[in-house]
Amino acid sequence: MSAIPNDPVILLSFLNTKLRDHYDSLSALCDDLEQDETMLTQKIAAIGYTYDSDRNQFI
């Protein structure tokens, strides 16, 4: 499993950067980094962001 940031705000930045630069979907990112998509979306939701698949980013 790849190391990802634990802090939700830093995680948000990390995920949006990865989505912008390397992945065409959150599912692809999670598969590649061996992360649980539900856990990540819940962690980001706790700071008020949700994943927008049309924009491929958390907004």
Side-chain angles (χ1 to χ4, degrees):
M1 180 184 295
S2 298
I4 63 167
N6 195 36
D7 179 272
V9 175
I10 297 172
L11 178 61
L12 171 66
S13 178
F14 172 84
L15 292 174
N16 276 341
T17 299
K18 289 288 191 184
L19 288 166
R20 181 191 69 219
D21 295 345
H22 302 286
Y23 299 98
D24 61 0
S25 70
L26 180 59
S27 294
L29 180 148
C30 289
D31 287 345
D32 192 45
L33 298 181
E34 299 178 352
Q35 297 295 314
D36 180 83
E37 187 172 340
T38 301
M39 184 274 307
L40 288 180
T41 56
Q42 288 174 344
K43 194 168 209 175
I44 298 301
I47 59 169
Y49 289 82
T50 58
Y51 178 68
D52 182 324
S53 60
D54 291 333
R55 296 175 73 176
N56 192 34
Q57 71 182 64
F58 286 91
I59 57 172

